[in-house]
Amino acid sequence: MKARATAIAYTLACALLGAPGIAAENGARGTASGESLSAATDIRVGGDDKQTRVVVDLSRKIDIAAFTLADPYRVVVDLPQTTFKLAANAGEQPRGLVKAFRYGLIMQGGSRIVLDTKGPVRLEKAFVLDAAENQPARLVLDLVATDRNSFMRNIALANRPAQAAPARPSEAPAKVDGDVRPLVVIDPGHGGIDNGTKGAGGELEKDIVLAFALTLREKLEASGKYRVAMTRAEDEFIALGERVRFARSRSAALFISIHADALPKREGQAEGATVYTLSENASDVEAARLAETENKADVIAGVDLTAEPDDVANILVDLAQRETKTFSVQFARTVVDELKSAARLHKHPLKSAGFKVLLAPDVPSVLVELGYMSTKDDLKQLTSASWRARTAQALAQAVDIYFTPRVAGAGGRN
Ligand SMILES: [Zn+2]
């Protein structure tokens, strides 16, 4: 597990450091602290299935690093933190070799554009032009269709030797001396470049779950019984493995991941909250579909997963030998019991599937889908402050019930 988390962190770091890739001609990447943020005001895609040019209008010239990733085929452009002033549906229409693109914060000080391409492409050019005449500064990418073999060869050639991963600033305090209160880690899903699902009015899952997580933190801290840490407390991207590592490295006593679901239109309607635990085989088709969607977060953000060891099977075996699974299910049941009085529940509120974010073998973990952003009534609740307060209170109550017997009996589990 540790190796897996490290690999993800390393891969992300490499990507952020621009390896493998084409660095822009104007020297080292700068994060130019102190300067005002650059802005992207328009992104245009033009061309056909053989050759496609992407042009991004910028408020000033910046340094970039661009590279390609396989499975699925993507082109990733890293830039200093940038404000995107684009239409809400920018990137949703396919054009030329580009199927879709998205953009946003990937880390403090760094933004990213990820283009999904229709097939393997060669990044022929990636450069930034100075503002000139009546034209703003522009980032230009030229993509040319290629075959998979050449694509994979290019990635291999561009691979550089390992570089140290930058340490993530730690928001959660390590155990303060003498503080034996259990640590609860709250994990708001998605963030930054990864919006999660979207409501009919443009509401974003990443915002809804963050607002909920902040309320839950308030409720838990108010009791004074727990230390509370959040994998993210603002709109930033955190890789799935990093979330698991965050909880493990702090010896968390409980991990609660917060999400909101959505069903594609053709799959009809569903409503209410569902609580998920980890299992090798999904409890039903819908759980399997959801886990697949939620597990795509890293792919969406342009993280290279090819270097990640596939040790999921080992973790599951490991997990089966520990009491973690029992505790996770026990907590999930308690959450369902407590939510009954506060929120609408899905008709089968307790499910399980292979969620990557629940893979810590030593931290009881659940994933709560608060409701369906695709269902009108659910969305109304998800965006309501009183519903949020009531539901967070019920969840905090479930945490209390989960810990109480053990705190009373054996002096706490931690
Ligand atoms: Zn989600």
Side-chain angles (χ1 to χ4, degrees), residues 189-190 194 196-197 205 209 258-261 290 293-294 367 369:
H190 313 277
D194 172 20
T197 57
E205 179 187 354
V209 299
I258 307 288
H259 288 259
D261 202 352
L290 178 72
T293 310
E294 299 291 15
L367 185 145
E369 294 282 346

Side-chain angles (χ1 to χ4, degrees), residues 121-142:
V121 297
R122 193 173 71 243
L123 192 53
E124 188 144 276
K125 282 183 192 147
F127 56 91
V128 179
L129 289 167
D130 264 322
E133 309 270 311
N134 296 324
Q135 298 267 34
R138 274 152 298 153
L139 157 64
V140 180
L141 300 173
D142 281 335

Side-chain angles (χ1 to χ4, degrees), residues 1 49 51 58 84 125 179 249 278 288 293 314 325 356:
M1 188 56 217
D49 284 354
Q51 209 158 358
L58 298 164
F84 292 89
K125 282 183 192 147
D179 192 346
S249 66
L278 179 70
T293 310
N314 290 337
K325 192 174 178 178
K356 283 188 183 173

Side-chain angles (χ1 to χ4, degrees), residues 14-15 17-24 65-68 76 123 154-155 157-160:
C14 278
L17 292 168
I22 303 176
F67 54 96
T68 50
V76 177
L123 192 53
N154 275 338
I155 288 186
L157 284 174
N159 247 317
R160 292 186 205 162

Side-chain angles (χ1 to χ4, degrees), residues 64-407:
I64 61 146
F67 54 96
T68 50
L69 293 174
D71 308 322
Y73 297 115
R74 284 154 295 166
V75 174
V76 177
V77 186
D78 279 332
L79 33 156
Q81 190 164 341
T82 298
T83 311
F84 292 89
K85 298 174 177 168
L86 306 174
N89 62 350
E92 289 175 8
Q93 291 299 322
R95 167 129 330 156
L97 291 162
V98 177
K99 267 205 299 205
F101 65 84
R102 59 203 158 266
Y103 46 85
L105 204 61
I106 187 80
M107 61 185 291
Q108 287 311 316
S111 291
R112 172 172 283 191
I113 301 169
V114 180
L115 307 154
D116 296 326
T117 57
K118 285 180 184 160
V121 297
R122 193 173 71 243
L123 192 53
E124 188 144 276
K125 282 183 192 147
F127 56 91
V128 179
L129 289 167
D130 264 322
E133 309 270 311
N134 296 324
Q135 298 267 34
R138 274 152 298 153
L139 157 64
V140 180
L141 300 173
D142 281 335
L143 315 180
V144 180
T146 182
D147 57 274
R148 181 170 172 90
N149 280 345
S150 321
F151 182 89
M152 297 310 283
R153 204 160 45 236
N154 275 338
I155 288 186
L157 284 174
N159 247 317
R160 292 186 205 162
Q163 302 181 39
R168 224 182 98 65
S170 142
E171 184 233 334
K175 193 188 279 189
V176 181
D177 270 344
D179 192 346
V180 295
R181 293 177 302 163
L183 173 69
V184 178
V185 170
I186 309 174
D187 175 53
H190 313 277
I193 190 169
D194 172 20
N195 291 332
T197 57
K198 215 174 181 180
E203 301 86 353
L204 302 177
E205 179 187 354
K206 67 173 180 179
D207 298 330
I208 285 174
V209 299
L210 178 58
F212 185 88
L214 289 167
T215 309
L216 177 59
R217 176 170 72 177
E218 237 174 73
K219 305 278 181 203
L220 288 172
E221 281 180 342
S223 78
K225 294 180 196 162
Y226 314 101
R227 289 176 296 133
V228 183
M230 291 175 66
T231 52
R232 70 177 179 97
E234 48 199 300
D235 183 18
E236 65 176 324
F237 173 78
I238 313 283
L240 294 171
E242 183 66 21
R243 296 168 191 260
V244 176
R245 195 191 64 75
F246 182 96
R248 294 195 74 198
S249 66
R250 287 164 178 79
S251 306
L254 191 60
F255 178 88
I256 308 173
S257 193
I258 307 288
H259 288 259
D261 202 352
L263 281 186
K265 274 207 180 88
R266 63 191 134 76
E267 285 180 30
Q269 288 249 320
E271 58 178 39
T274 312
V275 184
Y276 289 86
T277 52
L278 179 70
S279 70
E280 189 170 11
N281 299 311
S283 52
D284 59 27
V285 177
E286 204 200 324
R289 185 241 353 131
L290 178 72
E292 202 186 307
T293 310
E294 299 291 15
N295 287 346
K296 273 187 193 142
D298 294 349
V299 166
I300 284 167
V303 177
D304 183 8
L305 299 174
T306 49
E308 184 190 347
D310 188 16
D311 54 1
V312 174
N314 290 337
I315 290 162
L316 288 165
V317 169
D318 198 18
L319 192 65
Q321 295 166 346
R322 303 195 194 204
E323 57 191 359
T324 309
K325 192 174 178 178
T326 314
F327 284 126
S328 301
V329 172
Q330 191 181 321
F331 177 60
R333 286 204 183 109
T334 312
V335 171
V336 165
D337 281 347
E338 291 309 305
L339 283 186
K340 264 179 206 156
S341 57
R344 215 147 50 141
L345 289 175
H346 188 271
K347 58 180 189 285
H348 305 294
L350 211 53
K351 294 191 186 186
S352 63
F355 293 92
K356 283 188 183 173
V357 80
L358 299 181
L359 278 174
D362 40 14
V363 183
S365 304
V366 305
L367 185 145
V368 181
E369 294 282 346
L370 295 170
Y372 289 83
M373 310 237 331
S374 50
T375 302
K376 207 175 152 200
D377 287 351
D378 273 16
L379 183 62
K380 209 170 143 191
Q381 299 210 306
L382 290 167
T383 50
S384 134
S386 62
W387 175 88
R388 189 182 307 133
R390 202 168 66 236
T391 308
Q393 185 59 53
L395 202 45
Q397 178 70 17
V399 172
D400 269 352
I401 292 169
Y402 173 75
F403 280 110
T404 301
R406 279 187 295 274
V407 171

